Amino acid sequence: MGARGGSGLYVGRRAAALVAAVLLALLAALLALAALYGRCRGEEAPPAPPSPPDGASGGAGVPGGPPGVPSWRRLPRHLLPLHYDLELWPRVRPGQAGPFSFVGQVNITVRCRQDTRAAVLHSAGLRIRGAAVRGPLPEPGDAVWGSLPNPGVAVEVAEPQQEAEGEVVVLELRGRLQAGRRYVLQLGFQGRLEEDLDGLFLTRYTDQGRSSMLIASQLEPTYARTVYPCFDEPAMKATFNIRIIHDPSYVALSNMPAIDTSEMKDENGSLWTVTTFNTSLKMSTYITAFVICDFDYVTRTERGNEIRIWARKEAIKNGYVDYALNITGPIFSFLEDLLNISYPLPKTDLVALPDFGAGAMENWGLMTFQESSLMYLPSDKFTSRKAMIAIIVSHELGHQWFGNLVTMNWWNDLWLNEGLASYFEYLGATLVEPKLSLDKIFYDHVVQPVLREDNEVGVRSLSQNEDKIKGSFSLISLFDSITYNKGASITWMLSGFLTEKLFIKALNLYLKEFSFSNANQDDLWTHIQMVVDAQDEVQLPASVKKIMDSWTCQNGFPVLTLNITTGTISQEQFLNKKNENTSIDFYNNTWIVPISWMRNGSSQPLIWLDKSSNFFPEVQVSESEYDWILLNVNLSGYYRVNYDQLNLKRLVHLLENDPKAIPAVSRFQLLDDVFALTQFGYIQIETALELTKYLAREDELFIWNVVLLNLVPENLESTLKNYEVYPLLKKYLLKRMLPIYHYYAGFIRQNVDALEHDYFAKIPFLIRRTVSCYGVALGSDKEWNFAWEMYNHTDSTKEDKDILLSAMSCAKESWLLHRYLQYGLSDTLFSSNCTSVIISYVVTKDIGHRIAWDFVTENWPLLNERYGKELLHDVLKVMGRFVNTDVQIQELQVFYNTTLEEDERVTATLLLEFSKVENVERRQLLTKVADWLHKNVDD
């Protein structure tokens, strides 16, 4: 984005004041500096549908039957779609006031597989404006072509029955459709065009000082049925002819290239443009896509693939998407060469949407992005923004093979799409940004975060039985870090023990076998096994299916315990030992674990643990303190490691004398593992703290990141400040931080002139949030008001707005926070979803916690009336994280008792009971930390 006028975010006129503010921010910013792409992913979970059905999967019977028929289920397989002729007409003119609607017509050529007297297909929120069935069509014959013809003999249809809960429309027929024959289902329809970012939606934005509108789509997982009647399941693929009618001042885009534009007049004689697109490849409904906009574009051609990036005219003019354009082609070519399968479409459009709920979407030939995910300012000299763009673009390009060309058979194997794309996103990103350290980024932003989540009882497995996925609402929940991060992590592990050469060869066979079709995870295992069986270099202890099912069909992951004296390695599920009520529903109670390992700095051959415990003579060591073992080198496996005290003592000694003897990723892993083991009751906190003594010699930001996450977690910061431990911890950490602090302080001093001229735009992207917070915190209402002006600047991106929302909560004057919270109640100043965000930001600050609590309790009737349970859950979740004393717990309990309904009160009270236990444990922990620091702070 360009200069924002003036001198950017105001923090004072003198360069000295600026440097002071930035340097004060720097220590806190170390954490942010390490967060290259904080895995608040560009591709977020799609928002839940307006009215999620209760849902149960059901049989193939005709809906509308007697009570007891499931309200949500899979479609019967009597009819399979072959081809869609789809016409969409959003009735929108520039500058027009709402409400808005769209109309359309779809003709679906189907193959009848079993005699039936009913046609059942998906439709949600649409009004059907007439339905007909024609056929049988002559055989042999091509799919329907052209402008919505009326082939065949009519089959009489009763009035269409629409079932809102089941999200289906049923066409009951007077005659019988014959197995083996083709028919055409013809349906006219009408729907509302909302601004909710789901289905087909309208969004408003500002470009070159003018207010504008655009129409776009987001159909994953089950929103295609809200745009046109269809067979909205991933395995029911078909080809598409698409035609869009739109205002002449707009351009229309879809999956395929436009092959014709013409004009037509409506019933009032007004002129419209008709854009017709070429026939698509065979694909799932959820990746059909539509955009109608007044954007400009930049273009280049890569191996015959025309690549265009569309964005606001101002963004195109200023070169904001040039970087994305320059990397898209090379990543395409890299994936084509790596996978040995050419991209099958003649064009690719990437559209930068000013407002987009999903973050990014891989629609075949028409990918859509939140615009901040594609825009890089030429004036930004820092590579972090480039890295983020490269990762997000690579992810969506990976989907062109994993998801679009080959699609999971059903949503229970969604990881075949998202996990594999998440794996390849890092390969593509490091191709175009070779300075990136692939392994460091991957472990910091993929493996470590999901290890912290995938350790609770009740967390689902990566792959599940189809019958467990029972409705649109449960589909939404699958778009989480288990699918993305765990899927990528076990893919990384799989590639590691197979070797990348064999893994890519197997993927090539898999993609070729199931191109334009669907697969499940067993299909992937089968094709990997074929490659393994055809060679002798890599020998596995069991079948690929048996090995990998232990990781995908079982929830959680193991912790390996090594005893270097006895030479034994054992495994158990990594769970909280402090929870006495833990009950575990194991898949098979063990994993088949590949163990990469190192002895005294030398890599050793891979070993396998395929039972609960085993003896490995090679891991027994001598009495020498220089004889040490390191397991799971470079975090190549998806598990944690618990070392015995003897080996840990030797590793501590090694780190203090020669930290680089242990690879950087393994140092990262070692620290993260010991703190996680402490948290879950496997080892004592003193053991973990011993490993931090060497940190003065640690120059890797991503390792400092994990240290600070564990030693100064956000929800403990205010607690630490109330105890003796805080000054000791501060002294201990600052002494070890000084070398890395001085390095980055020098960097900022060297760039102070650039910072002075355009502060906000020139702040390194990765520390912009922290520096902005300090700018407001060290200022007065003048700085706060300037941040407020920047937030309301029409050119601010969604990302910048969130940074500024956070920064405004950093004010040190209580009246500013009171005013900020009051602003949050205003419908004209903020959207409703910002209210809970503002409260959440304020409650995390030292002086803000009490102010936010008072605000919530005083305004609860209004908050509850206006925003309901959704806000309640958001606020209480955040408030609970920052409850640190028994008095605060009692306050919350009184509040719950007087304001919540019984079911909400029970849930909230359980959370409070958990907080009480945590408080006891926290006090005990802090006592131990203080005792250890007293003894070691001056070392």
Side-chain angles (χ1 to χ4, degrees):
M1 68 205 86
R4 297 177 177 270
S7 59
L9 183 60
Y10 177 82
V11 292
R13 295 178 180 274
R14 295 174 300 165
L18 177 61
V19 172
V22 174
L23 292 182
L24 282 170
L26 186 60
L27 285 178
L30 281 169
L31 192 151
L33 271 166
L36 185 61
Y37 174 40
R39 213 55 186 178
C40 180
R41 293 190 44 83
E43 191 166 343
E44 299 166 357
S51 304
D54 287 338
S57 70
V62 177
V69 174
S71 62
W72 194 98
R73 63 330 186 12
R74 301 281 292 275
L75 291 178
R77 291 308 192 257
H78 300 152
L79 303 176
L80 290 182
L82 303 175
H83 179 83
Y84 291 76
D85 273 295
L86 174 62
E87 177 181 278
L88 285 176
W89 185 358
R91 305 298 289 260
V92 176
R93 297 288 196 183
Q96 175 185 347
F100 302 100
S101 65
F102 63 92
V103 296
Q105 173 73 33
V106 64
N107 293 357
I108 311 173
T109 303
V110 298
R111 174 79 66 184
C112 183
R113 300 181 68 230
Q114 180 179 338
D115 286 4
T116 183
R117 293 182 177 274
V120 185
L121 62 161
H122 286 116
S123 176
L126 299 173
R127 184 165 67 87
I128 303 301
R129 305 169 65 203
V133 177
R134 296 185 178 274
L137 302 181
E139 300 282 354
D142 296 328
V144 176
W145 179 271
S147 56
L148 308 176
N150 296 315
V153 178
V155 179
E156 189 176 351
V157 180
E159 185 70 20
Q161 297 181 19
Q162 291 187 260
E163 297 189 357
E165 282 193 67
E167 298 185 346
V168 296
V169 59
V170 182
L171 307 182
E172 293 190 357
L173 311 175
R174 305 300 187 197
R176 182 184 298 274
L177 304 186
Q178 303 170 19
R181 305 303 299 271
R182 291 182 305 128
Y183 297 84
V184 177
L185 314 181
Q186 300 177 324
L187 298 99
F189 56 90
Q190 180 177 358
R192 295 185 62 181
L193 194 59
E194 305 283 5
E195 299 183 42
D196 56 4
L197 308 181
D198 298 331
L200 191 68
F201 62 87
L202 182 143
T203 186
R204 304 173 191 272
Y205 63 98
T206 301
D207 190 8
Q208 297 179 326
R210 294 188 307 107
S211 295
S212 300
M213 300 186 296
L214 66 80
I215 297 166
S217 62
Q218 168 58 31
L219 305 187
E220 189 181 30
T222 57
Y223 295 113
R225 65 191 66 176
T226 70
V227 181
Y228 59 97
C230 57
F231 294 82
D232 196 14
E233 295 187 7
M236 304 184 87
K237 292 188 172 184
T239 56
F240 290 78
N241 280 350
I242 293 171
R243 188 167 71 190
I244 297 177
I245 302 173
H246 56 94
D247 184 89
S249 65
Y250 290 139
V251 62
L253 305 173
S254 189
N255 303 82
M256 298 299 290
I259 57 174
D260 182 65
T261 56
S262 58
E263 294 180 346
M264 63 166 279
K265 292 183 179 180
D266 62 18
E267 61 277 8
N268 299 318
S270 298
L271 199 63
W272 297 81
T273 295
V274 182
T275 300
T276 303
F277 300 90
N278 210 343
T279 306
S280 78
L281 301 174
K282 192 177 180 183
M283 62 185 187
S284 304
T285 51
Y286 77 87
I287 55 171
T288 55
F290 324 99
V291 172
I292 303 170
C293 63
D294 182 25
F295 279 179
D296 281 348
Y297 68 90
V298 290
T299 185
R300 64 178 287 179
T301 300
E302 181 87 9
R303 296 183 178 179
N305 174 16
E306 183 188 12
I307 299 168
R308 300 182 296 184
I309 300 191
W310 299 78
R312 293 179 292 112
K313 297 177 187 295
E314 185 175 37
I316 295 293
K317 180 182 177 181
N318 292 332
Y320 294 172
V321 297
D322 290 354
Y323 174 73
L325 179 68
N326 291 335
I327 67 172
T328 299
I331 296 173
F332 255 129
S333 297
F334 166 74
L335 291 172
E336 283 186 325
D337 293 341
L338 183 67
L339 299 170
N340 197 26
I341 294 179
S342 297
Y343 177 67
L345 299 186
K347 70 94 176 175
T348 303
D349 289 314
L350 293 80
V351 184
L353 299 173
D355 198 9
F356 188 47
M361 181 63 204
E362 67 266 20
N363 314 303
W364 222 354
L366 180 56
M367 288 175 270
T368 45
F369 298 80
Q370 167 65 39
E371 67 174 21
S372 62
S373 300
L374 281 182
M375 290 190 183
Y376 174 75
L377 279 64
S379 60
D380 191 346
K381 303 305 180 186
F382 302 98
T383 60
S384 51
R385 168 75 72 170
K386 285 185 176 181
M388 185 190 73
I389 295 170
I391 288 170
I392 295 173
V393 169
S394 296
H395 182 96
E396 304 311 323
L397 295 184
H399 272 310
Q400 308 309 297
W401 286 266
F402 301 100
N404 296 358
L405 183 66
V406 177
T407 312
M408 73 274 148
N409 190 60
W410 184 242
W411 300 101
N412 63 308
D413 278 331
L414 179 61
W415 80 269
L416 293 176
N417 284 20
E418 300 299 350
L420 288 168
S422 296
Y423 169 80
F424 280 99
E425 75 185 39
Y426 288 89
L427 302 186
T430 50
L431 169 81
V432 295
E433 290 296 329
K435 292 183 180 179
L436 294 177
S437 177
L438 173 61
D439 55 351
K440 295 175 186 176
I441 298 170
F442 189 80
Y443 297 124
D444 193 17
H445 304 296
V446 180
V447 184
Q448 190 246 16
V450 75
L451 284 175
R452 287 180 164 272
E453 183 174 330
D454 190 24
N455 53 32
E456 299 291 343
V457 176
V459 173
R460 66 177 180 83
S461 59
L462 184 60
S463 181
Q464 298 180 292
N465 293 329
E466 289 192 19
D467 59 4
K468 288 189 176 182
I469 313 300
K470 297 181 178 180
S472 294
F473 187 73
S474 62
L475 295 188
I476 299 296
S477 68
L478 296 178
F479 290 80
D480 61 5
S481 66
I482 297 297
T483 293
Y484 287 84
N485 291 13
K486 185 174 183 178
S489 299
I490 68 110
T491 301
W492 185 279
M493 180 176 67
L494 173 61
S495 175
F497 71 71
L498 285 176
T499 73
E500 184 175 291
K501 179 181 176 181
L502 290 183
F503 180 56
I504 296 299
K505 185 176 182 180
L507 288 181
N508 173 259
L509 292 179
Y510 166 80
L511 290 170
K512 287 182 175 178
E513 175 72 21
F514 298 102
S515 288
F516 309 105
S517 185
N518 300 78
N520 58 38
Q521 75 168 17
D522 279 354
D523 296 319
L524 178 58
W525 305 154
T526 297
H527 285 74
I528 295 175
Q529 190 68 56
M530 291 166 57
V531 170
V532 170
D533 291 344
Q535 54 82 54
D536 298 320
E537 293 182 16
V538 176
Q539 299 297 318
L540 302 180
S543 69
V544 173
K545 175 176 170 57
K546 187 174 181 180
I547 293 170
M548 295 309 298
D549 278 1
S550 75
W551 297 94
T552 62
C553 298
Q554 177 173 253
N555 70 312
F557 58 87
V559 54
L560 305 192
T561 298
L562 168 67
N563 187 312
I564 60 173
T565 303
T566 63
T568 59
I569 303 177
S570 59
Q571 63 165 299
E572 60 182 300
Q573 186 166 5
F574 184 68
L575 290 169
N576 195 339
K577 287 181 173 292
K578 299 175 183 178
N579 185 354
E580 298 178 356
N581 297 320
T582 297
S583 61
I584 307 166
D585 180 18
F586 283 113
Y587 168 68
N588 65 5
N589 204 30
T590 57
W591 289 257
I592 303 179
V593 186
I595 305 175
S596 60
W597 65 292
M598 175 183 289
R599 182 168 185 169
N600 304 334
S602 298
S603 295
Q604 305 295 319
L606 189 75
I607 56 178
W608 289 85
L609 179 64
D610 58 0
K611 57 185 70 173
S612 59
S613 181
N614 206 356
F615 168 63
F616 297 92
E618 57 266 48
V619 302
Q620 284 181 299
V621 300
S622 67
E623 293 183 2
S624 169
E625 65 177 307
Y626 300 102
D627 199 1
W628 51 270
I629 298 290
L630 191 72
L631 300 188
N632 199 14
V633 178
N634 284 332
L635 234 174
S636 54
Y638 185 69
Y639 52 89
R640 295 196 184 277
V641 178
N642 183 14
Y643 296 103
D644 61 8
Q645 286 297 315
L646 178 60
N647 197 57
L648 268 178
K649 184 178 180 180
R650 294 179 181 182
L651 290 174
V652 167
H653 181 266
L654 178 67
L655 286 171
E656 291 179 340
N657 291 277
D658 184 16
K660 296 299 174 79
I662 298 177
V665 169
S666 289
R667 300 200 301 274
F668 167 93
Q669 169 208 358
L670 189 58
L671 285 160
D672 193 53
D673 279 357
V674 293
F675 280 107
L677 290 164
T678 297
Q679 181 184 357
F680 275 33
Y682 288 81
I683 63 176
Q684 297 299 311
I685 184 62
E686 294 89 346
T687 302
L689 290 171
E690 287 291 324
L691 277 168
T692 68
K693 287 182 175 180
Y694 89 99
L695 284 172
R697 303 185 65 180
E698 183 55 74
D699 58 3
E700 292 282 0
L701 280 173
F702 83 114
I703 294 175
W704 269 106
N705 178 39
V706 78
V707 169
L708 294 175
L709 277 174
N710 283 288
L711 283 180
V712 195
E714 186 180 30
N715 63 328
L716 269 185
E717 185 174 359
S718 59
T719 301
L720 288 170
K721 290 181 179 178
N722 294 327
Y723 287 85
E724 182 186 10
V725 69
Y726 186 77
L728 294 171
L729 182 60
K730 181 179 178 181
K731 181 179 179 181
Y732 180 79
L733 286 178
L734 284 178
K735 181 178 179 181
R736 286 157 177 79
M737 276 184 175
L738 282 176
I740 198 169
Y741 167 79
H742 285 309
Y743 171 79
Y744 282 98
F747 167 79
I748 291 176
R749 287 192 186 97
Q750 291 170 13
N751 290 275
V752 66
D753 291 337
L755 291 171
E756 179 79 10
H757 286 107
D758 188 2
Y759 183 85
F760 190 77
K762 289 295 192 298
I763 299 171
F765 169 68
L766 293 172
I767 61 170
R768 189 173 294 171
R769 180 180 296 270
T770 305
V771 173
S772 299
C773 176
Y774 272 77
V776 172
L778 294 175
S780 62
D781 59 327
K782 185 174 183 180
E783 284 74 17
W784 196 98
N785 291 337
F786 195 86
W788 174 250
E789 291 174 13
M790 288 295 96
Y791 176 84
N792 289 291
H793 196 290
T794 55
D795 193 35
S796 294
T797 68
K798 184 178 182 181
E799 193 171 51
D800 289 334
K801 285 180 179 292
D802 185 61
I803 289 173
L804 290 163
L805 276 179
S806 176
M808 287 185 284
S809 71
C810 298
K812 296 297 186 184
E813 297 186 40
S814 59
W815 72 271
L816 286 172
L817 294 180
H818 280 291
R819 186 178 73 176
Y820 188 30
L821 290 166
Q822 288 298 327
Y823 280 5
L825 288 177
S826 171
D827 288 335
T828 58
L829 296 177
F830 291 107
S831 60
S832 60
N833 63 324
C834 281
T835 304
S836 62
V837 173
I838 292 170
I839 296 171
S840 300
Y841 281 142
V842 173
V843 79
T844 62
K845 306 302 185 294
D846 283 344
I847 69 168
H849 184 277
R850 187 75 233 178
I851 294 171
W853 168 247
D854 291 341
F855 173 81
V856 169
T857 55
E858 291 169 8
N859 293 279
W860 185 252
L862 176 61
L863 292 169
N864 189 44
E865 177 185 357
R866 185 175 295 177
Y867 307 117
K869 290 185 179 180
E870 183 177 349
L871 178 74
L872 167 72
H873 294 152
D874 289 344
V875 170
L876 294 185
K877 183 177 180 181
V878 174
M879 297 293 287
R881 285 177 54 211
F882 291 87
V883 168
N884 298 314
T885 68
D886 291 338
V887 172
Q888 291 171 338
I889 289 175
Q890 291 172 5
E891 281 189 283
L892 270 178
Q893 185 67 70
V894 171
F895 174 70
Y896 293 165
N897 292 341
T898 57
T899 59
L900 303 185
E901 300 293 334
E902 183 177 355
D903 58 334
E904 297 167 340
R905 189 164 60 245
V906 170
T907 302
T909 300
L910 288 174
L911 289 174
L912 280 183
E913 290 299 322
F914 181 71
S915 295
K916 289 180 183 178
V917 175
E918 278 196 328
N919 279 341
V920 173
E921 293 178 353
R922 185 181 295 125
R923 285 192 288 269
Q924 295 171 347
L925 176 68
L926 289 172
T927 300
K928 292 181 178 181
V929 171
D931 290 343
W932 188 90
L933 286 171
H934 272 297
K935 299 173 185 176
N936 295 277
V937 71
D938 294 320
D939 286 358

